[in-house]
Amino acid sequence: MKKNSDKFLIASRKLRIAASLVDFLVFVLILGLLSLPLIFLGIDANNNPEGSKPSGLIVFSVLVGASLTVLLLLYEVLLPYIWNGQTFGMRLFRVKMVDEKREPLKLRQILIHGVVIVIVAILTVGISILIELLIVLLSKEKRGFCDTISRISFVNTSNEIVGYKGEN
């Protein structure tokens, strides 16, 4: 791990991936709960074809997709803004987003990061998660594409790891 000029160490790849996995699972849980009405509408349409309207199912699907996009943006922007650069996963694994100079983030940086994540996720139909993972794993700075665009770094806020000499 590299020590920076401040009191924080760059977060290890393991911590970043673990925090991202928790955030992904939280989001999938929310996605599943929001998709339940759509699943029940689909089951009803399949069991009762003359009573259901396919256009209603399509409109509902678009609304769920738009809601999920807004929810992802809120999760990636609102939580880090309120929690000083952290999401649920980051809090659990003591990882924090800071700017490149290890200063607290400005709302503009958090917003750029969240918007880039959402746009890239939409354009790549979700494959961006794997691409970001590979970039973080291979990058010398342990930063992904979205992190580089928004000039964000991830640091470890735990005091327990200060004496650690190895590379994760």
Side-chain angles (χ1 to χ4, degrees), residues 82-113:
I82 292 170
W83 284 351
N84 196 24
Q86 294 180 302
T87 60
F88 287 113
M90 289 184 218
R91 275 190 158 206
L92 183 64
F93 289 98
R94 296 181 182 175
V95 174
K96 179 179 178 178
M97 291 189 290
V98 294
D99 73 7
E100 291 176 322
K101 297 176 184 172
R102 309 303 184 259
E103 298 291 326
L105 291 175
K106 294 177 176 67
L107 178 59
R108 183 178 65 92
Q109 287 175 292
I110 298 171
L111 191 58
I112 290 169
H113 190 256

Side-chain angles (χ1 to χ4, degrees), residues 23-166:
D23 289 333
F24 178 74
L25 292 175
V26 167
F27 193 73
V28 166
L29 178 66
I30 294 169
L31 169 72
L33 292 174
L34 287 178
S35 297
L36 281 177
L38 182 61
I39 292 168
F40 290 129
L41 278 175
I43 291 170
D44 183 52
N46 196 30
N47 291 338
N48 188 11
E50 62 276 343
S52 62
K53 297 179 182 172
S55 61
L57 192 59
I58 292 170
V59 168
F60 189 74
S61 299
V62 170
L63 289 175
V64 168
S67 299
L68 291 174
T69 302
V70 170
L71 185 66
L72 178 60
L73 190 57
L74 287 174
Y75 188 86
E76 292 292 337
V77 174
L78 192 59
L79 278 181
Y81 182 71
I82 292 170
W83 284 351
N84 196 24
Q86 294 180 302
T87 60
F88 287 113
M90 289 184 218
R91 275 190 158 206
L92 183 64
F93 289 98
R94 296 181 182 175
V95 174
K96 179 179 178 178
M97 291 189 290
V98 294
D99 73 7
E100 291 176 322
K101 297 176 184 172
R102 309 303 184 259
E103 298 291 326
L105 291 175
K106 294 177 176 67
L107 178 59
R108 183 178 65 92
Q109 287 175 292
I110 298 171
L111 191 58
I112 290 169
H113 190 256
V115 168
V116 170
I117 287 173
V118 169
I119 290 172
V120 170
I122 290 170
L123 292 177
T124 63
V125 195
I127 297 174
S128 62
I129 295 167
L130 296 175
I131 295 168
E132 280 287 303
L133 176 66
L134 283 173
I135 293 172
V136 169
L137 287 172
L138 300 174
S139 167
K140 191 180 206 180
E141 298 85 23
K142 304 174 190 172
R143 292 170 55 191
F145 173 75
C146 299
D147 311 332
T148 304
I149 295 283
S150 55
R151 299 177 185 224
I152 288 177
S153 292
F154 290 79
V155 294
N156 187 328
T157 62
S158 172
N159 294 332
E160 301 163 1
I161 202 150
V162 171
Y164 185 75
K165 303 279 187 224

